[in-house]
Amino acid sequence: MDSLRLGFDKKLIGFELLPETFTMKEVQSLYEAVFEKSFPMNNFQKKILDLGILERLEKKFTGAANKAPYLYRLKRQKSVSLSS
């Protein structure tokens, strides 16, 4: 499990497990499952967005009962690390 976590953080392999478009909550849920701990939503979202690896789409996910969250997709880049 430790090698999965290292690759998850360094190589951003978690995004390969998500659909082409996804919500920030889906990203957070995936990370929480792998790292077996919860992350505060505002801190997690800021850290992920500050990486500059996601493109926010204008289209919103419509399956939510409350305010619909934005959908994101991975930008095409050479390589990025969460550790940066």
Side-chain angles (χ1 to χ4, degrees):
M1 190 66 143
D2 288 335
S3 61
L4 173 63
R5 290 179 183 143
L6 181 61
F8 220 74
D9 195 30
K10 300 278 185 197
K11 299 176 185 170
L12 302 173
I13 61 173
F15 290 98
E16 298 296 324
L17 300 172
L18 294 169
E20 184 178 338
T21 59
F22 46 84
T23 64
M24 189 61 65
K25 183 62 180 166
E26 289 173 314
V27 176
Q28 183 174 351
S29 295
L30 182 61
Y31 271 78
E32 288 176 345
V34 170
F35 288 94
E36 298 177 328
K37 66 178 187 176
S38 61
F39 298 101
M41 180 58 165
N42 58 342
N43 292 343
F44 180 83
Q45 183 169 338
K46 180 174 178 3
K47 182 176 181 177
I48 295 295
L49 292 176
D50 285 350
L51 293 173
I53 61 169
L54 298 181
E55 176 182 356
R56 187 171 86 175
L57 306 174
E58 294 300 320
K59 180 181 175 186
K60 293 185 179 184
F61 180 72
T62 59
N66 55 358
K67 183 181 174 192
Y70 281 101
L71 285 174
Y72 294 87
R73 71 176 164 209
L74 197 58
K75 288 180 183 177
R76 295 181 191 259
Q77 291 187 344
K78 295 175 189 167
S79 84
V80 178
S81 172
L82 283 175
S83 302
S84 305

